[in-house]
Amino acid sequence: MKQYLLLMIVTLSLLKGFSQNIGINATGATPHASALLDVSSTNKGFLMPRMSSAQRTAIATPAEGLKVYDTDTKSFWFFNGTGWIEIAAGSATNYWALNGTHIFNSNGGNVGIGVNTPAAPLHIKNDNEALRIQGATPYLSFANNAGQVKGFLQSYNNDLYLGTPSTNTTGNLQFYAANIPAMTIKPTADVIIGSDPSNTFGKFSVQTLNNSNGISHLGEGGNILATRMGGTSAGIGTFSNTNMRIFSNGNSAVFINAGNSYVGVGVDFPTNKLQVGSIGNTGYSGNDFAFGDGTNALRMYQTSTASLVASSADILFWPKEKAGHVGINCVFPPSNKLQVGDMGPAGYNGNDIAFGNGTQGTAITQTNTSSQFASTTDFAFLPKYGTGGRVGINTGTPRAPLDVSYALNINSVNSNSGYGYLSFNNANNVTGFSTDDNPVQNVSIIASGRIYAREFDAYSDARIKNITGVSNAGKDLETLNELHITNYTLKDNVMYGNRSFKKVIAQQVEKVYPQVVSKHIDFIPNVYQLANTVTKTNDGFLLTFKQDHHINTNAKHLQVTIEGDGGMQPFDIVSIPSATEVIIKADALKGNKVFVYGEEVDDFRTVDYEGLTTLNISATQELARLVKLQSATIEGMQRQISLLQKRVAVNDLKKSGNKLYLKQASAQVVLAR
């Protein structure tokens, strides 16, 4: 009956409007004016909705301030508008008190975090990070009962400070082991290793007992003792006439002889002022510096006139582990692996050997394909100092001032091989030759210009030839008549100018007389222009031209000249993006200006002019034979003409005689009449 009565009261209150407050009780008491809902009882409580964690979190769009009891966590929860917040169960007594803006714990016992039986005023138990102090320069202070800070632990930037403040001028910083002082740092910055912090003999003291070691070093690498000493009498040593040893693993690592102050490293009683290792049987002694391996040794000493370096074995220089440079009488740093003197305006760098006088220079470099010599001046070879010596190539016994004793079939060489000939081409644009169906004779010398000589002799001994017969002179004359002599100029006008030539063209000769035409790999000036822009790409360098470059799509190499980087040199073609662009393979280009000569072809033609000469000889001989034959014919015809002329003369006489006879006969007839 009471329940129905309460329900009626609630219903009536709701009917009156939401502006009224509601009281729920068994006495009919008026609800408190400050409460919208006033529930009061002396023997019953308020039971809010109860549900599991899954049911709680499944409430759709909960209102801010909504409260429930979670039967899984056994605690109250409320929704703060963003997420669910647990209302932790409190204790029977609140141990926190307020003092102004401070709060403090008035608990007489300990506080445990992660442990319910704390053994200290603050006892934290956690398997991972247990306490974090965060801030720009957070620190822990240690103060006495008077509030005076005596020590601190602070994080500052990336450093961790442990020590005493400036106000504590007498306190030591001590590290204990087994409740015994193991290390003490005094306010004077003296460091004491040992149990007696008052016993110090310097900035760093090690106390030992029972003949134990003072300082031991166990580990891989690092210094046992690093010192920075100043003043006029600083040092580490012994007093009186006693040798000094520094031991390593029971052996003398450093030995200082008290008698002569010689220092030995890894050797006792050294015989040189500074000696590393045993010098064996070399007998080196009294030098400023010596080191050896027990068999061979090296020594150095300074006199008033020279610095001497001597060794019983070879001497190797490995600056920067074979990647550095060695300089002699040159400015620092040397720009070549071995440099004597200064390069001056020559600017030679990165070579194996270079030497100069500050104005001119010479450089020597070894590549995978050749040994290169470069100089800012002319090369002068003076064997026997210019008194009649000889130079041999691939021979140790030259037979002439220049003897090239090696020849190479140039068709058997590709563009990446070495060369067996001597090239007089300053542009160095011969990179090799390919094999084709028309082989040529072995070659010892290649020149891009003329060769001057008072006489040219070629091998032509019958004993080195297999003679198969005499050439058909008549056919040779026919062949010679089919050759065309052509007027032309060379496209490489930088090297050859506009001079006119009157010679044969290999392609035309090849159609008539292919025996004297050979093919090989070389470069043609089909580009012959300066790159307008040079751009670094992931694959190499992009060269862009103002005009079409005329490079064939199947071209593989380009001949290029780079400003300040010597003569022509070949580069691989990576790709040809357009008619005015090409990408070459290169890690770096030293100069900004890049001139492209042209592409590499594998059918570059040459003409054997000696073969043409012998063809001309054979044709001339045929002409001579024909002339002789014609001369004999003409001579016979001339004799016949002479005979005919005589006969004509006789006939003329006869005709004249007949006329006289007729006249005489006519006269006789007249007289007779």
Side-chain angles (χ1 to χ4, degrees), residues 67-90:
K67 298 179 181 64
V68 298
Y69 179 80
D70 193 315
T71 57
D72 291 334
T73 62
K74 307 300 182 184
S75 60
F76 294 98
W77 291 75
F78 76 93
F79 190 79
N80 66 353
T82 303
W84 288 96
I85 305 299
E86 183 180 15
I87 305 174

Side-chain angles (χ1 to χ4, degrees), residues 29 84 98 163 207 213 325 363 375 417 443 498 577 632 640 647:
W84 288 96
L98 184 65
Q207 303 167 2
N213 294 325
H325 297 165
S375 177
S417 299
V443 176
N498 295 321
Q640 292 177 357
R647 291 177 182 177

Side-chain angles (χ1 to χ4, degrees), residues 215-226 248:
I215 299 177
S216 299
H217 180 73
L218 299 176
E220 298 179 0
N223 296 318
I224 297 177
L225 176 63
S248 173

Side-chain angles (χ1 to χ4, degrees), residues 21 30-36 38:
N21 52 354
T30 301
H32 195 277
S34 63
L36 183 62
D38 185 355

